Coordinates of all heavy atoms in Angstrom, one line a residue:
Chain N
Y252 N -41.0 0.0 15.9 CA -42.0 -0.5 16.9 C -41.4 -0.4 18.3 O -42.0 0.1 19.2 CB -42.4 -1.9 16.6 CG -43.4 -2.4 17.5 CD1 -44.8 -2.0 17.5 CD2 -43.1 -3.4 18.5 CE1 -45.7 -2.5 18.4 CE2 -44.0 -3.8 19.4 CZ -45.3 -3.4 19.3 OH -46.2 -3.9 20.2
L253 N -40.2 -0.9 18.4 CA -39.6 -0.9 19.8 C -39.3 0.5 20.3 O -39.4 0.8 21.5 CB -38.3 -1.7 19.8 CG -38.6 -3.2 19.7 CD1 -37.3 -4.0 19.5 CD2 -39.2 -3.7 21.0
M254 N -39.0 1.4 19.4 CA -38.6 2.7 19.9 C -39.8 3.6 20.1 O -39.8 4.4 21.1 CB -37.6 3.4 18.9 CG -36.3 2.7 18.9 SD -35.1 3.4 17.8 CE -34.6 4.9 18.6
T255 N -40.7 3.6 19.2 CA -41.8 4.6 19.4 C -43.2 4.0 19.3 O -44.2 4.7 19.5 CB -41.7 5.6 18.3 OG1 -41.8 5.0 17.0 CG2 -40.4 6.4 18.3
Q256 N -43.3 2.7 18.9 CA -44.6 2.1 18.6 C -45.4 3.0 17.6 O -46.7 2.9 17.6 CB -45.5 1.9 19.9 CG -45.0 0.9 20.8 CD -44.0 1.5 21.8 OE1 -44.4 2.5 22.4 NE2 -42.9 0.9 22.0
G257 N -44.8 3.7 16.8 CA -45.4 4.5 15.8 C -45.7 5.9 16.2 O -46.1 6.7 15.5
G258 N -45.5 6.1 17.5 CA -45.8 7.5 18.0 C -44.7 8.4 17.9 O -43.7 8.1 17.2
P259 N -44.7 9.6 18.6 CA -45.8 10.0 19.3 C -46.9 10.6 18.4 O -46.6 11.2 17.4 CB -45.3 11.2 20.2 CG -44.1 11.6 19.5 CD -43.5 10.5 18.6
L260 N -48.2 10.2 18.7 CA -49.3 10.7 17.8 C -49.1 10.2 16.4 O -49.2 11.0 15.5 CB -49.4 12.2 17.9 CG -49.7 12.7 19.3 CD1 -49.6 14.3 19.3 CD2 -51.0 12.3 19.9
Q261 N -48.7 9.0 16.2 CA -48.5 8.4 14.9 C -47.5 9.1 14.0 O -47.5 9.0 12.8 CB -49.8 8.4 14.1 CG -50.8 7.4 14.7 CD -51.8 8.0 15.5 OE1 -52.4 9.1 15.1 NE2 -52.1 7.5 16.7
A262 N -46.6 9.9 14.6 CA -45.6 10.6 13.8 C -44.6 9.7 13.1 O -44.1 10.0 12.1 CB -44.8 11.6 14.7
T263 N -44.4 8.5 13.6 CA -43.5 7.5 13.0 C -44.2 6.3 12.6 O -43.6 5.2 12.4 CB -42.4 7.2 13.9 OG1 -42.9 6.6 15.1 CG2 -41.5 8.3 14.2
E264 N -45.5 6.4 12.4 CA -46.3 5.2 12.0 C -46.3 5.0 10.5 O -47.1 5.6 9.8 CB -47.7 5.4 12.5 CG -48.5 4.1 12.5 CD -49.9 4.3 13.2 OE1 -49.9 4.4 14.4 OE2 -50.9 4.4 12.5
T265 N -45.4 4.1 10.1 CA -45.3 3.8 8.7 C -46.5 2.9 8.4 O -47.2 2.4 9.2 CB -44.0 3.1 8.3 OG1 -44.0 1.9 9.1 CG2 -42.8 4.0 8.6
L266 N -46.6 2.6 7.1 CA -47.7 1.7 6.7 C -47.6 0.3 7.3 O -48.6 -0.2 7.8 CB -47.6 1.5 5.1 CG -48.9 1.1 4.4 CD1 -50.0 2.0 4.7 CD2 -48.6 1.1 2.9
I267 N -46.4 -0.2 7.4 CA -46.2 -1.5 8.1 C -46.6 -1.4 9.5 O -47.3 -2.3 10.0 CB -44.7 -1.9 7.9 CG1 -44.4 -2.0 6.5 CG2 -44.4 -3.1 8.7 CD1 -45.0 -3.2 5.8
L268 N -46.2 -0.4 10.2 CA -46.6 -0.2 11.6 C -48.1 -0.2 11.8 O -48.7 -0.8 12.7 CB -46.0 1.0 12.2 CG -44.6 1.0 12.9 CD1 -44.8 1.2 14.4 CD2 -43.8 -0.2 12.6
Q269 N -48.7 0.6 10.9 CA -50.1 0.8 11.0 C -50.9 -0.6 10.8 O -51.8 -0.9 11.5 CB -50.7 1.8 10.0 CG -52.1 2.2 10.3 CD -52.5 3.4 9.5 OE1 -53.0 3.3 8.4 NE2 -52.3 4.6 10.0
T270 N -50.4 -1.3 9.8 CA -51.0 -2.6 9.6 C -50.9 -3.5 10.9 O -51.9 -4.1 11.3 CB -50.2 -3.4 8.5 OG1 -50.0 -2.5 7.4 CG2 -50.9 -4.6 8.0
Y271 N -49.7 -3.5 11.5 CA -49.6 -4.3 12.7 C -50.5 -3.8 13.8 O -51.1 -4.6 14.5 CB -48.1 -4.3 13.1 CG -47.8 -5.2 14.3 CD1 -47.5 -6.6 14.1 CD2 -47.8 -4.8 15.6 CE1 -47.3 -7.4 15.1 CE2 -47.6 -5.6 16.6 CZ -47.3 -6.9 16.4 OH -47.0 -7.8 17.4
L272 N -50.5 -2.5 14.0 CA -51.3 -2.0 15.1 C -52.8 -2.2 14.9 O -53.5 -2.6 15.8 CB -51.0 -0.5 15.3 CG -49.6 -0.2 15.8 CD1 -49.3 1.3 15.8 CD2 -49.4 -0.7 17.3
Q273 N -53.2 -2.0 13.7 CA -54.6 -2.3 13.4 C -55.0 -3.8 13.7 O -56.1 -4.1 14.2 CB -54.9 -2.0 11.9 CG -55.1 -0.5 11.6 CD -56.3 0.1 12.3 OE1 -57.4 -0.6 12.4 NE2 -56.2 1.4 12.7
A274 N -54.0 -4.6 13.4 CA -54.3 -6.1 13.6 C -54.3 -6.5 15.0 O -55.1 -7.2 15.5 CB -53.4 -6.9 12.7
F275 N -53.2 -6.0 15.7 CA -53.0 -6.6 17.1 C -53.2 -5.6 18.2 O -53.1 -6.0 19.4 CB -51.6 -7.2 17.1 CG -51.4 -8.3 16.2 CD1 -50.7 -8.2 15.0 CD2 -51.9 -9.6 16.5 CE1 -50.5 -9.3 14.2 CE2 -51.8 -10.6 15.6 CZ -51.1 -10.5 14.5
Q276 N -53.5 -4.4 17.9 CA -53.9 -3.5 19.0 C -55.4 -3.2 18.9 O -56.1 -3.1 19.9 CB -53.1 -2.2 18.8 CG -53.0 -1.4 20.1 CD -52.2 -0.2 20.0 OE1 -52.6 0.8 19.4 NE2 -51.0 -0.2 20.6
F277 N -55.9 -3.0 17.7 CA -57.3 -2.7 17.5 C -58.1 -3.9 17.1 O -59.3 -3.8 17.0 CB -57.5 -1.5 16.5 CG -56.8 -0.3 17.0 CD1 -55.7 0.2 16.3 CD2 -57.3 0.5 18.1 CE1 -55.1 1.4 16.7 CE2 -56.7 1.6 18.5 CZ -55.6 2.1 17.8
W278 N -57.4 -4.9 16.7 CA -58.1 -6.2 16.3 C -59.0 -6.0 15.1 O -60.0 -6.7 15.0 CB -58.8 -6.8 17.5 CG -57.9 -7.1 18.6 CD1 -57.8 -6.4 19.8 CD2 -56.9 -8.2 18.7 NE1 -56.8 -7.0 20.6 CE2 -56.2 -8.0 19.9 CE3 -56.5 -9.2 17.8 CZ2 -55.2 -8.9 20.3 CZ3 -55.5 -10.1 18.2 CH2 -54.9 -9.9 19.4
N279 N -58.7 -5.1 14.2 CA -59.4 -5.0 13.0 C -58.6 -5.8 11.9 O -58.0 -5.3 11.0 CB -59.4 -3.5 12.5 CG -60.4 -2.7 13.2 OD1 -61.4 -3.2 13.6 ND2 -60.2 -1.4 13.2
M280 N -58.8 -7.1 12.0 CA -58.0 -8.0 11.2 C -58.3 -7.8 9.7 O -57.4 -7.8 8.9 CB -58.3 -9.5 11.5 CG -57.9 -9.8 12.9 SD -56.1 -9.8 13.0 CE -55.9 -10.7 14.5
G281 N -59.6 -7.6 9.4 CA -59.9 -7.5 8.0 C -59.3 -6.2 7.4 O -58.7 -6.2 6.3
Y282 N -59.5 -5.1 8.1 CA -58.9 -3.8 7.7 C -57.4 -3.9 7.6 O -56.8 -3.4 6.7 CB -59.4 -2.7 8.7 CG -58.9 -1.4 8.3 CD1 -59.4 -0.7 7.1 CD2 -58.0 -0.6 9.1 CE1 -59.0 0.5 6.8 CE2 -57.6 0.6 8.7 CZ -58.1 1.2 7.6 OH -57.7 2.5 7.2
A283 N -56.8 -4.5 8.6 CA -55.3 -4.7 8.6 C -54.9 -5.5 7.4 O -53.9 -5.2 6.8 CB -54.9 -5.4 9.9
A284 N -55.7 -6.5 7.0 CA -55.3 -7.3 5.8 C -55.4 -6.4 4.6 O -54.6 -6.6 3.7 CB -56.3 -8.5 5.7
A285 N -56.4 -5.5 4.6 CA -56.4 -4.6 3.4 C -55.2 -3.7 3.4 O -54.6 -3.5 2.3 CB -57.7 -3.7 3.5
L286 N -54.8 -3.2 4.5 CA -53.6 -2.4 4.6 C -52.4 -3.2 4.1 O -51.5 -2.7 3.3 CB -53.3 -1.9 6.0 CG -54.2 -0.7 6.5 CD1 -53.9 -0.5 8.0 CD2 -53.9 0.5 5.7
G287 N -52.3 -4.4 4.6 CA -51.2 -5.3 4.2 C -51.2 -5.6 2.7 O -50.2 -5.6 2.1
T288 N -52.4 -5.8 2.2 CA -52.5 -6.1 0.7 C -52.0 -4.9 -0.1 O -51.3 -5.0 -1.1 CB -53.9 -6.4 0.3 OG1 -54.4 -7.5 1.2 CG2 -54.0 -6.9 -1.1
L289 N -52.4 -3.7 0.4 CA -51.9 -2.5 -0.3 C -50.4 -2.4 -0.2 O -49.7 -2.1 -1.2 CB -52.5 -1.3 0.3 CG -52.1 0.0 -0.4 CD1 -52.9 0.1 -1.7 CD2 -52.2 1.2 0.4
S290 N -49.8 -2.7 1.0 CA -48.3 -2.7 1.1 C -47.7 -3.7 0.1 O -46.7 -3.4 -0.5 CB -47.9 -3.1 2.5 OG -48.7 -2.4 3.5

Side-chain angles (χ1 to χ4, degrees):
Chain N
Y252 180 74
L253 285 171
M254 289 180 77
T255 60
Q256 291 91 49
L260 302 171
Q261 291 100 43
T263 55
E264 194 174 285
T265 61
L266 201 56
I267 296 294
L268 268 254
Q269 190 168 93
T270 312
Y271 185 85
L272 291 171
Q273 282 292 326
F275 294 105
Q276 200 177 74
F277 299 110
W278 301 103
N279 279 335
M280 295 292 195
Y282 183 66
L286 284 173
T288 308
L289 183 80
S290 312

